[in-house]
């Protein structure tokens, strides 16, 4: 028998082009088609006016509400108060300080995120160890010829980032210690850790913040004032470290017993075993959970408004009360939401990228 | 049959060893003396306590009664002694237990660097020497997940040897391997035996037992039931349970 050489044919037209794609993905069968039409209808009837309101009918330039005449969003409101949204009541002449702190932070993070950059370990160590000191002196001052800026003046995005970064950086190691303690053979260590974790997980963050701002001072001697921001930071960190501990415990449990045994049999001590063998494997598994906790923490920072700290959401609310700008609260809430979303979405994307990278790196398991 | 290389020095001593898991008495009055250079093969039915016994020797399991002495160091609650014993005792597991996040070379140098404080250069040179001996120097920079089971087990052996142990414990080192890979691992173990290593080996590879073992130990129900040199053990088993066990595994 003889076989003809088969010609290479283009795919049938139903598979290619816009029509092909639509037919395959949106209109394959009656149920799918109806769903597409219904969802499409709602999307269009919602999106079109929204986009029109945000972008087309909106006003962008001006100095007062008189500039807002088009009937759409009044972004003039935001741009006039942008400094407050970003820096709170931080003195204008000193705005370069949070800016510099922010640039160093983002620069180092970008360095760590980019795939090709060298010396990531060094940068990460500097970021965790040296950066907090630099940032403290930059923001607070009272040294190196910088004026002191009291923390009650800090606000807006600056304050949100301070709360989130400190919370994240401090709660991870604390959470690791708590998780290890919870697994410990030593009954006292174990019960202290379990009690700590369960107490903090059982109360809402709002209560924690109230207690930190109202009750904590009662335990300190008269006249000794204890910075309100610091109290909030301690509350947030302890609260989040309890959650972090549970995420980490989950990761630790996923490591096979054989890994512990091999490390023991080689004579590694407890900390060597944990730091060199168990944690690197567990942290890899825990990235999604850890980032989830970070994202939750980032959003939770907005609760500090109830104890009178002016994070970016509180600044937005304060702006809404301004008699000159009554009626533009939608704009300020949208703007605040956008700021939160940008940070949280970046974290989520980075974690996905990191996960992928770590998974392709090492063959099995 | 090998000529015994055993010296008079006692390397491992188990005296009246008893262990319980809760109420369950897993090890009952185990007495065993292993001299330097001696090769012991331990066999017995599943659940008879073979793993538990050799895992007590490097304190992966805790015993409740009796004494364990390794190279003159008594194994007690003193963490110093446990650490000292673990430095002298290497262990190879059924499922290799390599560290998947580290390369083969890093697996091998980790303990020498961190436990023995050996300089990295020296540790790497030594590791390469041993990887050479187990015939996989070219895999040094791969991750364990990229190797076959037989190769992984040979890495695990090299990793243990990097600590220059005086005693090697093997817990069914070939029973998780495909048949064609068993030989490459056994060859490495035979070579190691010929070099005079003290070995305690839980295995059902009777060919291996006949070639290298000085003594074969049969365990059942948490006890040592029978102990003999291999020729006698296989050809003239004394105990009824040994006979039954041998007839079962040789039937395969
Ligand atoms: N952690 C544990 N807790 C309770 N019982 C255990 C534990 N580990 C082992 N056992 C029991 O102790 C007995 C001896 O177990 P061991 O693993 O030493 O047997 P083995 O001789 O090595 O068997 P195998 O050939 O299946 O490996 C078994 O009955 C087992 O069920
Ligand atoms: Mg076993």
């Amino acid at each position: 028998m003889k076989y003809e050489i088969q010609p290479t044919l283009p795919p049938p037209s139903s598979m290619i082009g816009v029509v092909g794609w639509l037919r395959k993905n949106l209109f394959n069968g009656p149920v799918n088609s109806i769903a597409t039409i219904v969802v499409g209808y709602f999307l269009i009837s919602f999106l079109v006016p929204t986009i029109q309101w945000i972008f087309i009918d909106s006003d962008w330039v001006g100095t007062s509400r008189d500039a807002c005449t088009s009937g759409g969003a009044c972004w003039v409101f935001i741009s006039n108060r942008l400094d407050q949204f970003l820096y709170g009541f931080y003195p204008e002449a000193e705005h370069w300080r949070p800016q510099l702190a922010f640039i160093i932070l983002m620069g180092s993070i970008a360095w760590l995120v980019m795939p090709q950059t060298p010396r990531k370990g060094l940068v990460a160590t500097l970021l965790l160890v040296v950066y907090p000191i630099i940032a403290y002196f930059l923001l607070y001052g009272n040294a190196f010829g910088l004026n002191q800026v009291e923390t009650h003046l800090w606000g807006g995005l600056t304050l949100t980032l301070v709360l989130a970064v400190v919370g994240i950086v401090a709660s991870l190691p604390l959470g690791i210690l708590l998780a290890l303690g919870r697994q410990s053979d030593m009954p006292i260590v174990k019960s202290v850790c379990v009690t700590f974790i369960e107490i903090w997980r059982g109360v809402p963050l709002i209560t924690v913040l109230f207690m930190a701002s109202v009750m904590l001072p009662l335990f300190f001697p008269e006249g000794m004032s204890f910075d309100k921001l610091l109290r909030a930071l301690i509350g947030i960190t302890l609260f989040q470290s309890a959650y972090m501990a549970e995420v980490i415990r989950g990761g630790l449990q996923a490591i096979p017993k054989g890994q512990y045994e091999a490390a023991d049999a080689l004579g590694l001590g407890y900390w060597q075993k944990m730091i060199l063998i168990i944690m690197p494997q567990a942290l890899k598994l825990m990235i999604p959970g850890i980032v989830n906790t970070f994202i939750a923490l980032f959003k939770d920072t907005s609760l500090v408004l109830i104890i009178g700290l002016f994070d970016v959401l509180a600044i937005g609310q304060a702006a809404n009360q301004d008699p000159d700008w009554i009626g533009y609260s939608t704009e300020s809430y949208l703007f605040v939401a956008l700021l939160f979303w940008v940070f949280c979405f970046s974290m989520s994307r980075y974690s996905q990228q990191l996960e992928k990278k770590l998974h392709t790196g090492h063959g099995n398991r | 049959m090998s000529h015994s290389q055993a010296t008079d020095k006692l390397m491992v001593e188990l005296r009246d060893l008893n262990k319980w898991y809760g109420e369950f008495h897993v090890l009952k009055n185990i007495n065993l003396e292993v001299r330097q250079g001696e090769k012991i093969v331990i066999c017995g039915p599943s659940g008879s306590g073979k793993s538990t016994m050799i895992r007590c020797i490097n304190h992966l399991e805790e015993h409740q009664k009796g004494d364990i002495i390794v190279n003159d160091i008594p194994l007690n609650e003193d963490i110093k002694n446990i650490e000292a014993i673990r430095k002298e005792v290497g262990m190879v597991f059924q499922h290799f237990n390599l560290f998947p996040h580290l390369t083969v070379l890093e697996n091998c140098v980790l303990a020498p660097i961190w436990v023995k404080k050996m300089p990295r250069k020296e540790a790497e040179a030594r590791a390469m020497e041993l990887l050479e001996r187990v015939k996989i120097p070219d895999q040094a920079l791969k991750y364990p997940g990229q190797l076959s089971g037989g190769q992984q087990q040979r890495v695990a052996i090299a990793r243990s040897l990097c600590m220059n142990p005086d005693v090697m414990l093997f817990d069914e080192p070939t029973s998780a391997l495909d048949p064609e890979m068993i030989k490459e691992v056994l060859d490495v173990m035979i070579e190691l035996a010929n070099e005079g290593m003290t070995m305690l080996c839980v295995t059902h590879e009777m060919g291996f037992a006949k070639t290298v073992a000085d003594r074969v130990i049969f365990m059942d129900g948490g006890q040592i039931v029978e102990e003999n040199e291999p020729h006698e053990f296989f050809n003239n088993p004394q105990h009824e349970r040994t006979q039954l066990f041998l007839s079962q595994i040789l039937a395969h």
Side-chain angles (χ1 to χ4, degrees), chain B residues 58-112:
Chain B
N58 62 353
H59 201 70
L60 289 185
E61 301 288 349
E62 201 170 355
H63 65 285
Q64 280 83 35
K65 244 180 84 184
D67 298 311
I68 297 176
I69 300 162
V70 180
N71 205 3
D72 301 326
I73 309 166
L75 180 71
N76 47 29
E77 289 85 68
D78 192 346
I79 190 92
K80 285 252 153 48
N81 287 11
I82 297 174
E83 281 173 4
I85 287 176
R86 282 178 176 169
K87 275 189 208 173
E88 309 200 352
V89 177
M91 185 164 211
V92 175
F93 301 86
Q94 182 176 2
H95 296 287
F96 333 131
N97 297 355
L98 294 176
F99 305 130
H101 62 302
L102 301 177
T103 62
V104 164
L105 187 63
E106 286 166 335
N107 263 278
C108 291
V109 298
L110 186 95

Side-chain angles (χ1 to χ4, degrees), chain A residues 258-259 261 264 272 276 362, chain B residues 55 86 98-99 101 114 143:
Chain A
Q259 294 291 308
E261 292 178 349
D264 285 339
Q272 290 174 336
L276 298 170
H362 317 299
Chain B
R55 288 157 59 87
R86 282 178 176 169
L98 294 176
F99 305 130
H101 62 302
W114 291 94
Y143 286 91

Side-chain angles (χ1 to χ4, degrees), chain B residues 154-178:
Chain B
R154 285 182 283 150
V155 172
I157 295 175
R159 177 176 74 176
S160 290
L161 293 177
C162 279
M163 289 292 283
N164 282 327
D166 293 320
V167 184
M168 285 287 288
L169 309 174
F170 293 84
D171 191 358
E172 308 206 32
T174 56
S175 55
L177 297 178
D178 293 336

Side-chain angles (χ1 to χ4, degrees), chain B residues 25-38:
Chain B
H25 199 174
V26 248
L27 295 180
K28 302 171 185 161
N29 277 329
I30 304 274
N31 281 288
L32 178 66
E33 293 188 345
V34 183
R35 287 169 298 142
Q36 190 175 41
E38 227 182 347

Side-chain angles (χ1 to χ4, degrees), chain A residues 44-300:
Chain A
I44 289 167
S45 57
F46 169 76
L47 277 183
V48 169
T50 308
I51 289 172
Q52 185 138 13
W53 185 82
I54 293 180
F55 295 105
I56 299 169
D57 294 344
S58 55
D59 297 289
W60 297 79
V61 281
T63 47
S64 73
R65 64 182 300 155
D66 301 336
C68 295
T69 50
S70 322
C74 179
W75 299 118
V76 180
F77 174 41
I78 304 297
S79 59
N80 267 292
R81 290 178 161 267
L82 193 60
D83 275 0
Q84 256 190 38
F85 274 106
L86 297 184
Y87 311 106
F89 310 107
Y90 210 91
E92 198 165 348
E94 313 283 351
H95 279 179
W96 64 274
R97 284 157 58 176
Q99 279 163 8
L100 184 58
F102 182 74
I103 288 168
I104 302 177
L105 177 69
M106 288 302 148
S108 337
I109 291 177
W111 188 278
L112 293 175
V113 172
M114 280 192 294
Q116 242 70 56
T117 48
R119 297 188 164 268
K120 285 196 165 53
L122 178 71
V123 174
T125 318
L126 289 178
L127 187 60
L128 288 178
V129 181
V130 182
Y131 178 74
I133 302 169
I134 297 177
Y136 172 79
F137 284 116
L138 263 179
L139 291 176
Y140 190 69
N142 202 16
F144 308 113
L146 294 173
N147 297 330
Q148 180 173 337
V149 181
E150 292 283 355
T151 57
H152 66 82
L153 297 174
W154 302 15
L157 187 63
T158 308
L159 183 76
T160 298
L161 286 175
V162 166
L163 290 163
V165 171
V166 172
I168 285 170
V169 170
S171 67
L172 184 60
L174 210 58
I176 291 178
L177 289 179
L178 283 169
L180 292 178
R182 189 165 191 164
Q183 282 204 327
S184 163
D185 297 331
M186 289 178 274
I188 303 212
V189 174
K190 183 173 173 149
S191 45
V192 167
C193 290
V194 171
T195 314
F196 182 95
I197 292 170
E198 294 306 334
I199 287 180
W200 289 96
R201 288 210 314 155
V203 284
L205 183 57
I206 294 208
T207 339
V208 174
L209 290 172
F210 268 132
M211 290 208 292
S213 74
V214 180
M215 275 175 61
L216 215 55
L218 300 180
F219 297 112
F220 290 100
E222 190 84 18
M224 182 182 151
S225 81
F226 189 10
D227 192 275
K228 198 200 280 184
L229 174 60
L230 186 59
R231 277 179 275 154
L233 282 173
I234 293 174
I236 288 178
T237 302
L238 294 180
F239 181 82
Q240 293 296 343
S241 62
Y243 279 90
M244 199 59 80
E246 288 302 283
V247 172
I248 290 165
R249 186 167 69 112
L252 288 176
Q253 280 171 342
I255 303 299
K257 224 172 121 225
Q259 294 291 308
Y260 291 86
E261 292 178 349
D264 285 339
L266 286 168
L268 295 173
Y270 176 80
W271 290 107
Q272 290 174 336
K273 171 172 71 181
M274 286 303 166
I275 293 169
L276 298 170
I277 308 298
I278 306 300
M279 276 302 163
Q281 296 183 60
L283 284 173
K284 195 158 82 180
L285 298 173
M286 295 177 307
I287 290 171
I290 291 178
V291 174
N292 261 343
T293 313
F294 283 171
I295 290 174
L297 187 156
F298 195 95
K299 293 189 289 188
D300 281 353

